[in-house]
């Protein structure tokens, strides 16, 4: 565009407009300025430099392309992009809360109203309780610092601040994240004694106010006479043993009673009473596992009703889904026993079971033994008929797991031949030890996140590495608790196959799991 004609310049001798004054000089300069041209000129300059590669017309490459209409259009688009960039934090991620080069996820996630919750008159005015469950990824060469997580730079996987990217290790980043959620109850998995020594004092700060209740494994180290140390198949528990823990905010909830134990201790107690729910290789494996659980009986301040919080971490190996089923069952056995021991009616106390269940919502036949894969593949018959949920998910969501389910201890690993032999009345098959149908021992459990997204059964991702992703972390509640809010999972976790969400840990996410959370009233 041709340059705007310059207005007549008044002389000091008294030309019109008072040219000798500063105001007049400013007015003359302002008259020569085209604001849209100033805004869009850098864009045009970039286009001119890139015109050949972009395949733009010659008029653009020559530079003779400026006109008010194009300037207005580009200026509007540029302004919209600028506003979008600022809303996303100026290039620093949602919220724009940067510290040491990291954007903390607490700013990206919020507790949203549960779509299935309908406020009732009886619920108004009742104090809500917020619970967060989080597998924080254990520290050390076998976990966070292993080659398994080599896709993430080592400086982002260090637990302490020394040598960490931006001077903030995973512990510091986790504390900032948890502080953003403002939980009243915190369930933690993969927390070693050494990590606890760093984490607990920070969580107990005035800004967060969380006090440690129980950490499974802690007593084993501080008390040599503890039964874990005497009977544990692999020897004494050491400082890097990863366990589970529960923290409470004493300003919001009162701790009434608590207990920490390993899963196999529940099985030990059942066997002392003469019960033999599991046998063979499964029993041996259950006895050798270090997976634990913590139970905390709490009472929200200002109320008189109790809530039992169960934090657990199930066996990781996908080739042993029947072991996870067994551990899930044992968790409900212990929850009921814990309440009955204290003279409480299990049907009158609200229960939350939260943690890392290491189990997808659906059955995974690819991890079945070869002989069972053939049986499961039979169309419309055998153990394949109608079983799509994983054993753990079906047990908790339906309250019962029939013995015919392919991940039930009685059925896992069976072949077509063994099923046919049983049908013929084979004596060896009849004598085979069986647990029978399993139940949740009267606990009516609901997956709290099941209705978080419209049209999506549940979040598809609570963990993602470079070779695996899925929803394996859950918060289960009973009807005595009215879930009012849920911790929304990050954008991309509800997209099929998880393609929109990056592997973690990363600069934004300090663990290979995402925290899950609920807010409820009793």
């Amino acid at each position: 565009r041709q340059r705007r004609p310059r207005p007549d310049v008044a002389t000091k001798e008294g030309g019109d407009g008072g040219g000798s004054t500063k105001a007049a000089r400013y007015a003359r300069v302002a008259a020569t300025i085209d604001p849209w041209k100033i805004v869009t000129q850098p864009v045009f300059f970039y286009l001119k430099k890139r015109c050949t590669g972009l395949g733009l017309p010659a008029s653009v490459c020559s530079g003779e392309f400026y006109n008010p209409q194009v300037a207005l259009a580009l200026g509007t688009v540029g302004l919209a992009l600028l506003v979008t960039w600022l809303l996303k934090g100026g290039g620093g991620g949602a919220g724009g809360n940067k510290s040491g080069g990291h954007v903390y996820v607490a700013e990206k996630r919020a507790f949203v109203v549960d779509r299935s919750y309908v406020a009732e008159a009886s619920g108004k005015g009742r104090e809500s309780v917020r619970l967060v469950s989080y597998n924080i990824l254990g520290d050390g060469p076998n976990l966070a610092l292993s080659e398994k997580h080599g896709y993430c730079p080592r400086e982002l996987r260090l637990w302490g601040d020394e040598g960490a990217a931006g001077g903030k290790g995973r512990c510091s980043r986790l504390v900032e994240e948890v502080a953003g959620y403002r939980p009243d109850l915190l369930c933690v998995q993969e927390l070693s004694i050494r990590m606890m020594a760093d984490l607990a004092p920070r969580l107990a700060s005035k800004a967060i106010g969380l006090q440690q209740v129980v950490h499974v494994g802690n007593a084993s180290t501080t008390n040599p006479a503890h039964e874990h140390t005497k009977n544990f198949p692999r020897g004494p528990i050491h400082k890097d043993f990863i366990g589970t823990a529960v923290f409470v905010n004493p300003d919001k909830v009162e701790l009434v009673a608590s207990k920490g134990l390993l899963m196999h201790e529940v099985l030990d107690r059942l066997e002392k009473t003469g019960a033999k729910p599991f046998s063979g290789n499964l029993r041996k494996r259950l006895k050798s596992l270090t997976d634990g659980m913590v139970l905390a009986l709490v009472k929200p301040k200002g109320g008189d009703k109790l809530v039992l919080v169960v934090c657990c971490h199930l066996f990781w190996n996908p080739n042993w889904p029947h072991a996870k089923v067994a551990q899930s069952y044992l968790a409900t056995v212990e929850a009921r026993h814990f309440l009955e021991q204290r003279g409480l009616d299990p049907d009158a106390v609200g229960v939350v079971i939260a943690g890392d269940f290491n189990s997808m919502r659906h059955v995974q036949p690819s991890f079945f033994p070869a002989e069972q894969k053939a049986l499961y593949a039979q169309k419309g018959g055998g153990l394949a008929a109608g079983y799509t949920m994983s054993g753990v998910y079906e047990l908790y969501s339906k309250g019962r797991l029939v013995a015919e389910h392919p991940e039930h201890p009685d059925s896992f690993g069976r072949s077509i031949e063994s099923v046919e032999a049983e049908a013929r009345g084979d004596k060896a098959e009849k004598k085979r030890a069986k647990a029978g149908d399993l139940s949740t021992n009267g606990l009516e459990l609901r997956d709290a996140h099941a209705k978080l997204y419209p049209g999506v059964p549940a979040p598809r991702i609570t963990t993602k590495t470079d070779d695996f992703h899925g929803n394996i972390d859950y918060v289960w509640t009973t009807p005595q608790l009215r879930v009012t809010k849920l911790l929304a999972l990050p954008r991309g976790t509800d997209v099929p196959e998880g393609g929109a969400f990056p592997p973690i840990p990363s600069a934004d996410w300090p663990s290979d799991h995402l925290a899950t959370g609920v807010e409820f009233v009793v």
Side-chain angles (χ1 to χ4, degrees), residues 9 38 45 104 116 127 224 226 272 285 322 413 427 440 460 462:
V9 179
I38 292 175
F45 179 77
Y104 292 97
S116 64
E127 190 73 14
H226 195 276
K272 288 178 182 179
R285 176 53 65 96
H322 54 319
K427 292 182 179 180
T440 53
R460 289 188 169 95
T462 60

Side-chain angles (χ1 to χ4, degrees), residues 225-287:
H226 195 276
E227 63 179 332
H228 291 180
T229 303
K230 291 188 297 182
N231 301 324
F232 191 60
R234 298 179 186 174
I237 297 174
H238 54 81
K239 64 180 181 179
D240 287 323
F241 168 86
I242 57 168
T244 58
V246 172
F247 297 81
V248 302
N249 182 346
D251 293 333
K252 293 295 295 290
V253 294
E254 173 190 349
L255 178 64
V256 178
S258 62
K259 181 180 182 180
L261 71 166
L262 300 182
M263 292 284 189
H264 73 74
E265 293 182 80
V266 185
L267 181 58
D268 294 342
R269 178 174 56 78
L270 289 177
E271 291 181 344
K272 288 178 182 179
T273 65
K276 295 182 179 180
F278 310 113
S279 60
N281 290 332
L282 174 59
R283 177 181 177 274
K284 292 179 182 179
R285 176 53 65 96
L286 291 172
K287 291 277 191 175

Side-chain angles (χ1 to χ4, degrees), residues 335-337 339-340 344-351 441-443 478 480:
R336 190 172 189 91
H337 175 72
L339 294 174
E340 290 175 342
L344 299 171
D345 180 3
D347 298 326
V349 177
V351 177
N441 293 278
L443 299 181
T478 58
Q480 294 88 345

Side-chain angles (χ1 to χ4, degrees), residues 471-483:
N471 179 21
I472 60 176
D473 302 88
Y474 303 92
V475 178
W476 299 89
T477 60
T478 58
Q480 294 88 345
L481 307 177
R482 298 301 306 274
V483 175

Side-chain angles (χ1 to χ4, degrees), residues 248-475:
V248 302
N249 182 346
D251 293 333
K252 293 295 295 290
V253 294
E254 173 190 349
L255 178 64
V256 178
S258 62
K259 181 180 182 180
L261 71 166
L262 300 182
M263 292 284 189
H264 73 74
E265 293 182 80
V266 185
L267 181 58
D268 294 342
R269 178 174 56 78
L270 289 177
E271 291 181 344
K272 288 178 182 179
T273 65
K276 295 182 179 180
F278 310 113
S279 60
N281 290 332
L282 174 59
R283 177 181 177 274
K284 292 179 182 179
R285 176 53 65 96
L286 291 172
K287 291 277 191 175
S288 70
L289 295 177
T290 63
D291 308 305
M293 59 189 295
V294 172
L295 301 95
L297 186 65
V298 299
K299 182 168 67 173
K301 288 293 181 71
D304 57 356
K305 294 185 178 180
L306 298 172
V307 178
L308 176 61
V309 177
V310 181
C311 172
C312 58
H313 189 186
L314 305 190
F315 187 34
W316 66 270
N317 195 329
N319 294 300
W320 288 76
H322 54 319
K324 303 173 193 183
V325 167
Q327 290 179 329
S328 298
Y329 165 75
L330 293 173
T332 63
V333 169
E334 184 60 28
R336 190 172 189 91
H337 175 72
F338 183 84
L339 294 174
E340 290 175 342
Q341 265 190 321
R342 288 154 181 80
L344 299 171
D345 180 3
D347 298 326
V349 177
V351 177
V352 181
I353 304 181
D356 177 2
F357 288 77
N358 273 312
S359 182
M360 303 281 277
R361 288 170 51 89
H362 56 272
V363 171
Q364 295 180 282
S366 59
F367 292 106
F368 289 173
E371 59 270 21
Q372 188 181 6
K373 287 180 181 178
L375 176 62
Y376 190 81
Q378 285 186 336
K379 295 182 178 180
L383 303 183
Y387 302 116
T388 58
M389 288 185 181
S390 69
V392 170
Y393 199 87
E394 181 156 330
L395 173 63
Y396 273 25
S397 61
K398 295 185 177 181
R400 180 169 294 276
L401 185 69
V402 296
E404 291 76 21
H405 189 285
E407 292 183 352
H408 187 286
D410 289 355
S411 298
F412 184 77
R414 297 195 70 190
S415 64
I416 295 175
E417 290 76 16
S418 67
V419 172
E420 292 176 346
E422 184 177 29
R424 293 194 303 268
D426 184 83
K427 292 182 179 180
E429 283 295 326
K430 284 186 175 182
K431 290 181 179 180
R432 183 171 58 89
K434 299 178 183 178
D437 294 354
L438 298 175
S439 76
T440 53
N441 293 278
L443 299 181
E444 185 181 342
L445 298 168
R446 167 186 179 251
D447 177 2
H449 282 80
K451 297 182 180 179
L452 178 58
Y453 299 107
V456 179
R460 289 188 169 95
I461 294 176
T462 60
T463 182
K464 182 172 182 178
T465 63
D466 64 344
D467 62 355
F468 172 78
H469 67 270
N471 179 21
I472 60 176
D473 302 88
Y474 303 92
V475 178

